[in-house]
Amino acid sequence: MARYTGPSCRLCRREGKKLFLKGDRCYSDKCAVTRRASVPGQHGKARKKVSEYGVQLRAKQSTRRFYGVLESQFAEYFNMAERKAGMTGENLLRILESRLDNVVYRCGFAASRKEARQLIRHGHYTLNGHKANIPSILVKAGDVLEVKTTDSDKIKAVVEANASRPKPKWLDVDTAKLTAKVIQLPDREDIDLDVEEHLIVELYSK
């Protein structure tokens, strides 16, 4: 499957905000957004007037890049969100948050979502007692995520390095046993995402 393989920090600079794509580096003074806030490229420092469409597009692109999903995947998630009862924008974020790679990251079992995807593909986790090696699996309330016993030492080092990262209240994380249970899917206030999801809805509604 095609996936962006260029510099992660370039994406953050393009969106003008931290997307937390590189783990600890994003929280340090080495963060590219902190050091160079301009848009990448030859004309990045030039001031440009952004249209209404441009604002909506940036909202969609930053959200897509935040979770590391492809354009076609994002469009599919939006269609799923539209079919669900409730507000489409909130449904979309809830679906994105319920991806297995995001849950692994939120639990602190990986330094970033990119690392979480790699660890999942390598088979380091189980979901409800079964091998889970597909990052896009959507979890649901009651699901239990566990680190394989044979890989516990490797993941423990990651957990210790990310001990200060706050754990979302919709996940019951046991860092000693390296397990996590999905208590419920998150509400909008549980998602610390700097985006106005109604702009994404407006973009896809055109």
Side-chain angles (χ1 to χ4, degrees):
M1 179 180 289
R3 187 166 296 279
Y4 177 78
T5 57
S8 299
C9 294
R10 187 180 180 89
L11 299 180
C12 295
R13 289 179 58 208
R14 179 61 188 90
E15 302 306 331
K17 65 177 73 172
K18 292 187 178 186
L19 302 178
F20 301 98
L21 303 177
K22 297 200 71 173
D24 293 340
R25 185 185 179 93
C26 300
Y27 297 92
S28 70
D29 295 334
K30 295 181 180 180
C31 175
V33 175
T34 303
R35 296 171 63 189
R36 291 187 295 171
S38 61
V39 174
Q42 181 179 359
H43 305 291
K45 294 183 179 180
R47 294 184 178 181
K48 298 179 181 179
K49 185 177 180 181
V50 182
S51 65
E52 179 183 0
Y53 171 78
V55 173
Q56 295 167 350
L57 179 63
R58 294 270 61 85
K60 188 263 291 184
Q61 291 292 76
S62 63
T63 305
R64 184 175 68 81
R65 288 167 173 169
F66 190 93
Y67 289 102
V69 300
L70 299 173
E71 186 67 51
S72 57
Q73 288 177 309
F74 195 86
E76 183 180 344
Y77 290 146
F78 183 84
N79 291 333
M80 290 172 58
E82 269 193 320
R83 293 193 295 268
K84 290 179 177 290
M87 300 182 67
T88 302
E90 293 185 10
N91 289 341
L92 174 62
L93 294 182
R94 192 173 294 114
I95 291 170
L96 290 166
E97 280 287 315
S98 65
R99 280 176 57 100
L100 182 59
D101 55 358
N102 178 75
V103 172
V104 168
Y105 167 74
R106 292 291 192 188
C107 290
F109 295 166
S112 65
R113 290 176 179 82
K114 184 176 182 179
E115 182 180 81
R117 284 191 290 275
Q118 184 181 44
L119 292 172
I120 291 169
R121 289 195 185 100
H122 290 176
H124 292 295
Y125 308 98
T126 63
L127 187 65
N128 300 325
H130 300 286
K131 182 178 179 180
N133 57 3
I134 302 175
S136 60
I137 291 175
L138 299 180
V139 304
K140 56 185 182 298
D143 283 353
V144 177
L145 172 71
E146 295 180 87
V147 176
K148 283 188 175 180
T149 307
T150 53
D151 304 320
S152 59
D153 290 341
K154 180 184 295 185
I155 305 301
K156 275 182 180 178
V158 177
V159 171
E160 291 172 1
N162 295 281
S164 60
R165 188 195 302 165
K167 306 295 187 296
K169 64 181 183 181
W170 55 279
L171 294 172
D172 182 15
V173 182
D174 188 332
T175 54
K177 296 181 179 179
L178 296 180
T179 64
K181 182 176 181 179
V182 181
I183 302 172
Q184 63 178 38
L185 294 184
D187 295 322
R188 180 60 182 96
E189 56 267 23
D190 300 326
I191 304 172
D192 56 348
L193 181 61
D194 179 22
V195 69
E196 295 176 281
E197 60 272 15
H198 70 274
L199 295 175
I200 302 175
V201 178
E202 291 174 4
L203 177 67
Y204 277 103
S205 298
K206 290 184 175 179

